[in-house]
Amino acid sequence: MPLIFVIAGSAGVPATAAEQAAPLQPGEIGSLADLPHDIRTVIGPDVADRGGAFAAGCVSTNGEPHSRFAGARLNGDTAQVTMEYGGIAHYFDTLDFRQVNGRWVHVPKPSQSVAARAQGK
């Protein structure tokens, strides 16, 4: 059982230098600072930057944030931002944005029931 805690606890440590040094592809965003302000506002202030330490488990012993920016891709008037969330259900999620009238607007995912109705189920 202690091995599980070691593995879960290690997910919040900063990425290795090799991971941080990987070249970005065109349209990829590698840091929170490079995101448009509107997107950054939706994500919120308590987010670790890519490769930064965060509380991957349920307990934040040093006051680390419980989420971390994992990367983003901007393509014309659309953007996808991948976030990593800590806790028992440690997971990644992608947030979609669209540029409307010069501002980046979050596009929420349809709920399961809306998606099922759209498919005729």
Side-chain angles (χ1 to χ4, degrees):
M1 192 70 143
L3 181 59
I4 293 171
F5 292 115
V6 171
I7 293 170
S10 68
V13 298
T16 65
E19 290 171 321
Q20 292 177 357
L24 297 174
Q25 300 298 313
E28 285 186 340
I29 304 292
S31 174
L32 286 170
D34 297 331
L35 285 173
H37 177 72
D38 296 333
I39 294 175
R40 183 76 180 99
T41 299
V42 170
I43 291 171
D46 296 327
V47 175
D49 205 351
R50 184 177 188 167
F54 81 113
C58 293
V59 178
S60 176
T61 57
N62 298 317
E64 302 97 346
H66 282 278
S67 59
R68 172 168 60 188
F69 171 75
R73 176 174 289 285
L74 272 64
N75 185 16
D77 65 348
T78 62
Q80 292 184 314
V81 179
T82 302
M83 300 292 298
E84 181 178 6
Y85 297 95
I88 291 173
H90 179 253
Y91 66 100
F92 289 85
D93 190 22
T94 300
L95 306 172
D96 296 316
F97 293 86
R98 179 169 297 282
Q99 202 168 33
V100 178
N101 297 326
R103 295 188 51 132
W104 288 98
V105 178
H106 178 238
V107 179
K109 292 177 177 46
S111 68
Q112 193 83 17
S113 59
V114 171
R117 276 184 275 168
Q119 294 176 356
K121 296 181 180 180

